[in-house]
Amino acid sequence: MAINCNSAGSARGVDHGSAAALDDLPASSGGFLAWIWVNKRANGDNQVLMSKGASGTAGFLWMVDGTNVVRIFVDLATTNLDFTSSNNALTNDTDHFVAVFCDISLSGNARGHLWVGSRSQAPVEVSYASRTAGEGAIVTDAALNLIVGNGAT
């Protein structure tokens, strides 16, 4: 799926519902890997790429913020997993391949990784501004819908 982040923060993405197969994806055996093509038009609004819940409530949030920082957040029982890239991980008006991997099945040792590439550059792991490895079981997102796309909340 390609996402055109055009600062239409109130626009909804694609709602995939909350089937049992979509629940607690970061806790899946072997981890959770997702990728998407993004074209961020301008700095300003936060653009959520994929979410089940919101930061600090339950589930997970994968987003690009107003300064083109890429972030993965997973709500865990003890310490939340929260990895953020350095500013300007994306360049405006450029197609970017953005990928995330997180594995919280490692008891007390949850990890996340973020990669960014473009049509002319192979994906590389980002430089991180902060990395908080998570700990504890996932706070279940079973009651929440999986949203993919611009402006998802």
Side-chain angles (χ1 to χ4, degrees):
M1 171 177 281
I3 300 297
N4 182 358
C5 296
N6 60 7
S7 296
S10 62
R12 295 293 293 174
V14 178
D15 187 334
H16 292 274
S18 186
L22 299 175
D23 294 339
D24 305 329
L25 289 173
S28 302
S29 176
F32 167 67
L33 173 67
W35 60 92
I36 200 163
W37 281 95
V38 176
N39 188 317
K40 186 99 186 291
R41 296 293 184 200
N43 289 359
D45 292 340
N46 294 336
Q47 303 294 328
V48 176
L49 306 177
M50 182 182 294
S51 72
K52 269 198 104 185
S55 177
T57 59
F60 68 93
L61 173 70
W62 178 32
M63 64 176 286
V64 178
D65 80 3
T67 59
N68 291 343
V69 167
V70 182
R71 178 181 185 200
I72 180 66
F73 174 91
V74 181
D75 196 17
L76 301 176
T78 306
T79 303
N80 295 329
L81 181 144
D82 194 358
F83 281 40
T84 58
S85 72
S86 300
N87 285 349
N88 300 312
L90 304 181
T91 304
N92 290 335
D93 294 316
T94 301
D95 292 331
H96 289 282
F97 176 85
V98 181
V100 62
F101 173 76
C102 60
D103 187 352
I104 66 164
S105 66
L106 306 169
S107 179
N109 195 24
R111 294 284 181 250
H113 297 276
L114 299 163
W115 293 271
V116 172
S118 67
R119 293 190 183 277
S120 60
Q121 176 188 352
V124 295
E125 191 160 7
V126 300
S127 298
Y128 293 97
S130 66
R131 294 175 92 167
T132 303
E135 187 174 344
I138 191 169
V139 176
T140 188
D141 58 27
L144 304 169
N145 289 354
L146 175 69
I147 307 292
V148 177
N150 186 25
T153 55

